[in-house]
Amino acid sequence: MQLSIIIVSYNVRYFLEQCLYSVRKAATGISVEILVADNASTDGTREYLGNRFPEVKFSWNSENLGFAKANNRELAKAGGKYILFLNPDTIVPEQCFRETIDYLDAHPDAGALGIRMLDGTGNFLPESRRSFPSPLTSLYKLTGLANLFPRSTIFAKYHMGHLSPETTHETDVLSGAFMMVRKKILNTTGGFDEAFFMYGEDIDLSYRIQKKGFRNIYFAGSEIIHFKGESTRKGTLNYVRLFYSAMIIFVKKHFTGVKAGAVLFFIRLSIWLRAMLTAIGNFIRSAGLPIIDAGLILFSFWLAKYSWNRFIKPEISYSQQLLTVAFPFFTVLFLIASYYTGLYDKQQKRGQLFRSTIFALLIILATYSLLPERFRFSRAILLLGTGYSFILLHICRFILIRLSIIDPPEQSEKLQTLVVATEIEYRRILDLLKATQREERVLGRVAINESDSAEKLTSLKQLNQFLKEAAVREIIFCENGLSFAEIIQTTSKMKGSLRFRISAGGSGSIVGSDSKNMSGETFSEQSRLALSMPVHRRLKRLADLLISIFILISFPIGIFLLPNPLNVFRNAFEVLTGKKTWVGYFTKATNLPPIRSGIIGSNGSPIHHQQKFGEVGFEQMDRVYARDYSAYNDIALVIRNYRQLGVSGI
């Protein structure tokens, strides 16, 4: 057997799907075995992919073993002359395996081989080749000199910026995302050191291969796309902890004396600096942003009161105690309204702040109108305060975006999408995009061949000219009639502000990633379900809370109306504490957005009805519920089936 391909996966089922489609095509004509180890994914990887790739040997680990240990388990089973350690968030071209094998066959002194890697925007990934860490390279990287002089022989040594990424050359470190090694060398060096849970294991193995007298080769004769689909991202405290801990393990293992002490000093200094910056950024992105907003909104209401009292109505005196209570109350209302309209979602559309502000203003004015007369002070102050809030929140977000602490909002009206596909594949992509209401951004189809006479905007051959004349920000490539190699080559030539997505022919997903530091983005059949959207999941939780509160308040009446009032009372508390939901799935299908166990099923019947009639039809019923979800439907189901609320959930 020529090649054994080992892939370790964790919660990246759609990236893995696209990867395996490309691996399948690249393996044509080669004696290959494909070994995939899943590290106890919780995203339904097994159910989604288990039957799609019969040629793949899957291992379903019961726990997350980490990258090194999971790879070593598969390595023990591998029988190929060459071993390829491959990340699941990669796309390989059709001739990739043949070309890399031919190179190693022709260069017996080459012990291992890495490859030219591109990110999801077509830009070269500098981690395709690296030098071993040393005190000076650590210093240059820490101080930012490596970024200031990216092509310097001295300052950019870590990523070997002085060497052209388009030429094949020797390197120190190969990336574990694509690392092809001779099996006979691994028999002597051993596999990955399992002291490394994640990160650093590729540096360690590269070092040991060199110590055995073999060269590590950066191969520029082919290129792959490496998305960022893994669960641990740059920009998280977990990443900082794992990455720098791995560096410490490597230095202690291979360096001694003054050199080791110097490297460890710079690594630990990096840990503290990166951890501090990361913690600040993460706090602002999560709990910190609403807290900052609360302060700005509260200040805006106070500023509005001061402006109104100082310049418009100086003769009016407002109760300080009243304003001390009223302003925080309306600030909380503003934040709640903003939350439920999606202001704090990870992905936002342009204009979200304006829409949230308008909705918050309507809620505030409606609440104000319901207050007794003695608690009212001035609608004008509320209007002016809301206006000031919008301005200050907008300025705050502008600053945070410029500092790269939060991501800019998605400019959906400017994000025009082209789909490079056959007519049939184009229809499939449109169906997938309808899930997230993105189909309206599609300008149209780019035909793969000039001879394609079906409706199209342009052809692939004329695409560059079309891009000069049209406002296009995103291109989706469908691999069906278009090779993976052509897709990769095209993306590498179209750099800049373009965003690229890929979907293998016949697959159920689209994948992409907009930068090497950002998590990947996927669109799939599951994305078509309303319950997969954050706004609907929030509204479902809100409906649960409102229903529970109503049931608890009306419990004295419910004692006489409900067959099992104590069960209803207990269920209400379990829903309040987040253990259950009032309306849940009948089945435990893993291809649906996860929700809590239900009190009643998706059609309003008790959950135990599924046990009586079997699963026939219930999976479809659950899918329709998830697809068409609305909070109103949950409330209506509970009202119609009020007397069933005392049953036990699943």
Side-chain angles (χ1 to χ4, degrees):
M1 184 177 295
Q2 288 181 291
L3 181 64
S4 296
I5 302 168
I6 299 176
I7 302 173
V8 174
S9 173
Y10 179 69
N11 285 341
V12 285
R13 58 175 169 176
Y14 299 126
F15 284 99
L16 178 58
E17 177 190 23
Q18 301 299 324
C19 175
L20 290 177
Y21 271 112
S22 70
V23 166
R24 174 186 281 172
K25 293 191 72 174
T28 302
I30 304 174
S31 176
V32 169
E33 63 176 348
I34 306 169
L35 308 170
V36 174
D38 182 81
N39 267 340
S41 292
T42 57
D43 66 345
T45 297
R46 182 170 189 170
E47 293 76 11
Y48 184 71
L49 293 179
N51 297 323
R52 291 186 182 226
F53 299 94
E55 73 274 25
V56 175
K57 301 174 183 177
F58 286 98
S59 296
W60 305 105
N61 297 328
S62 58
E63 60 179 324
N64 188 350
L65 302 177
F67 182 83
K69 190 171 184 178
N71 268 300
N72 287 345
R73 281 194 178 184
E74 301 308 307
L75 177 60
K77 309 172 189 175
K81 177 183 177 183
Y82 298 108
I83 305 297
L84 173 62
F85 300 106
L86 184 68
N87 267 28
D89 53 354
T90 56
I91 301 291
V92 298
E94 283 75 6
Q95 296 301 313
C96 175
F97 299 157
R98 171 50 56 201
E99 290 170 346
T100 50
I101 288 174
D102 286 347
Y103 184 92
L104 288 175
D105 283 343
H107 298 81
D109 61 330
L113 178 147
I115 203 165
R116 173 180 165 89
M117 298 190 299
L118 309 176
D119 66 14
T121 60
N123 290 306
F124 173 70
L125 284 170
E127 57 261 39
S128 300
R129 75 275 169 90
R130 288 168 288 170
S131 295
F132 291 121
S134 70
L136 284 178
T137 56
S138 300
L139 174 64
Y140 299 148
K141 190 170 174 60
L142 174 63
T143 57
L145 289 171
N147 293 329
L148 287 175
F149 305 100
R151 299 187 183 280
S152 169
T153 304
I154 298 174
F155 299 124
K157 185 178 180 182
Y158 182 71
H159 282 133
M160 309 185 76
H162 61 290
L163 297 176
S164 170
E166 298 179 0
T167 60
T168 298
H169 53 258
E170 187 173 354
T171 185
D172 287 335
V173 178
L174 303 175
S175 171
F178 185 107
M179 191 174 189
M180 186 177 288
V181 191
R182 298 178 190 275
K183 178 67 182 299
K184 67 177 183 180
I185 293 179
L186 290 172
N187 289 339
T188 59
T189 63
F192 292 113
D193 187 337
E194 295 179 12
F196 300 89
F197 183 81
M198 184 183 293
Y199 306 116
E201 61 285 307
D202 49 0
I203 301 177
D204 176 73
L205 182 55
S206 297
Y207 187 84
R208 286 186 280 127
I209 290 171
Q210 277 196 351
K211 285 295 183 181
K212 290 294 182 181
F214 291 93
R215 296 190 301 146
N216 293 321
I217 301 298
Y218 163 75
F219 182 67
S222 185
E223 56 190 1
I224 69 170
I225 291 179
H226 180 204
F227 298 116
K228 293 295 175 178
E230 62 268 44
S231 58
T232 303
R233 311 285 175 205
K234 294 183 178 180
T236 66
L237 285 173
N238 197 33
Y239 167 81
V240 173
R241 179 182 64 83
L242 290 172
F243 180 78
Y244 287 105
S245 294
M247 294 301 98
I248 290 174
I249 293 173
F250 175 80
V251 171
K252 287 183 175 180
K253 179 178 178 180
H254 295 293
F255 295 163
T256 57
V258 176
K259 185 177 182 180
V263 176
L264 287 173
F265 170 77
F266 287 117
I267 288 176
R268 290 193 171 103
L269 181 59
S270 297
I271 291 175
W272 283 105
L273 290 175
R274 284 290 300 273
M276 181 178 65
L277 294 174
T278 299
I280 293 172
N282 287 348
F283 174 75
I284 293 176
R285 279 189 290 269
S286 55
L289 190 56
I291 292 173
I292 293 173
D293 287 352
L296 293 174
I297 295 167
L298 194 59
F299 174 75
S300 296
F301 283 130
W302 177 86
L303 183 62
K305 181 259 180 186
Y306 174 81
S307 302
W308 187 256
N309 225 178
R310 180 73 171 81
F311 302 108
I312 309 298
K313 296 286 186 180
E315 70 278 6
I316 299 178
S317 177
Y318 297 102
S319 167
Q320 191 62 36
Q321 185 177 7
L322 176 63
L323 297 180
T324 302
V325 175
F327 284 174
F329 173 71
F330 287 117
T331 296
V332 171
L333 279 183
F334 195 115
L335 291 174
I336 292 174
S338 298
Y339 172 77
Y340 280 103
T341 52
L343 185 60
Y344 301 109
D345 285 354
K346 181 181 178 182
Q347 296 291 335
Q348 293 184 28
K349 293 183 179 180
R350 188 181 182 186
Q352 184 63 55
L353 177 59
F354 178 76
R355 288 188 291 271
S356 295
T357 302
I358 294 298
F359 185 74
L361 177 60
L362 294 175
I363 295 296
I364 288 171
L365 291 178
T367 305
Y368 178 83
S369 66
L370 297 175
L371 293 176
E373 190 67 34
R374 65 180 183 277
F375 292 119
R376 300 183 188 180
F377 46 95
S378 173
R379 287 189 180 88
I381 292 178
L382 294 179
L383 287 168
L384 193 59
T386 303
Y388 284 159
S389 296
F390 173 76
I391 294 171
L392 292 179
L393 293 180
H394 184 79
I395 294 173
C396 175
R397 276 158 175 73
F398 175 80
I399 295 172
L400 293 176
I401 289 170
R402 296 286 293 186
L403 294 174
S404 299
I405 294 176
I406 63 174
D407 296 328
E410 198 175 74
Q411 300 182 17
S412 58
E413 61 271 51
K414 292 185 178 180
L415 182 56
Q416 302 294 338
T417 301
L418 293 177
V419 180
V420 183
T422 63
E423 186 177 14
I424 294 176
E425 286 292 286
Y426 178 65
R427 299 300 171 192
R428 178 179 67 85
I429 294 299
L430 287 183
D431 286 342
L432 286 175
L433 292 176
K434 285 179 182 177
T436 50
Q437 300 176 345
R438 293 171 181 253
E439 76 277 9
E440 76 278 359
R441 303 190 318 197
V442 176
L443 280 173
R445 184 175 74 93
V446 177
I448 296 172
N449 302 311
E450 291 284 324
S451 58
D452 188 341
S453 59
E455 183 178 351
K456 62 184 179 182
L457 288 176
T458 186
S459 65
L460 187 59
K461 187 176 181 180
Q462 304 296 325
L463 180 56
N464 281 330
Q465 182 60 38
F466 183 87
L467 292 175
K468 295 177 183 178
E469 302 171 359
V472 175
R473 291 280 306 281
E474 180 179 77
I475 301 178
I476 299 175
F477 291 94
C478 296
E479 179 277 323
N480 196 343
L482 188 68
S483 69
F484 284 111
E486 289 172 315
I487 293 173
I488 295 171
Q489 289 169 7
T490 302
T491 61
S492 66
K493 295 174 183 176
M494 296 182 180
K495 301 171 184 176
S497 60
L498 283 173
R499 300 159 62 167
F500 302 108
R501 308 283 183 257
I502 295 176
S503 180
S507 67
S509 62
I510 306 169
V511 301
S513 179
D514 299 331
S515 105
K516 67 178 182 178
N517 297 325
M518 292 176 63
S519 62
E521 187 176 20
T522 64
F523 308 111
S524 66
E525 293 175 351
Q526 189 180 99
S527 301
R528 303 171 66 177
L529 308 178
L531 263 182
S532 66
M533 301 173 66
V535 62
H536 288 295
R537 298 180 71 81
R538 284 196 302 270
L539 290 174
K540 181 172 178 60
R541 180 61 182 153
L542 179 61
D544 279 345
L545 294 175
L546 293 176
I547 293 169
S548 299
I549 292 170
F550 174 79
I551 287 175
L552 291 175
I553 292 174
S554 63
F555 185 68
I557 300 174
I559 292 177
F560 302 101
L561 298 178
L562 294 166
N564 301 296
L566 292 180
N567 276 351
V568 176
F569 192 75
R570 185 183 69 249
N571 287 337
F573 269 107
E574 289 184 329
V575 173
L576 274 177
T577 56
K579 295 180 180 179
K580 291 183 179 180
T581 181
W582 285 111
V583 183
Y585 300 141
F586 278 110
T587 62
K588 296 182 179 180
T590 56
N591 60 343
L592 296 177
I595 59 176
R596 299 172 178 85
S597 299
I599 306 300
I600 58 176
S602 53
N603 69 344
S605 301
I607 293 294
H608 62 75
H609 278 192
Q610 187 271 339
Q611 300 171 356
K612 180 178 179 181
F613 296 108
E615 294 194 4
V616 178
F618 282 97
E619 287 189 10
Q620 182 61 27
M621 193 179 300
D622 288 343
R623 184 171 184 80
V624 170
Y625 171 77
R627 183 194 66 194
D628 302 331
Y629 176 80
S630 75
Y632 171 81
N633 289 341
D634 265 15
I635 295 172
L637 281 172
V638 169
I639 292 174
R640 287 200 302 268
N641 299 276
Y642 181 66
R643 292 177 60 81
Q644 306 285 348
L645 300 182
V647 299
S648 298
I650 53 176

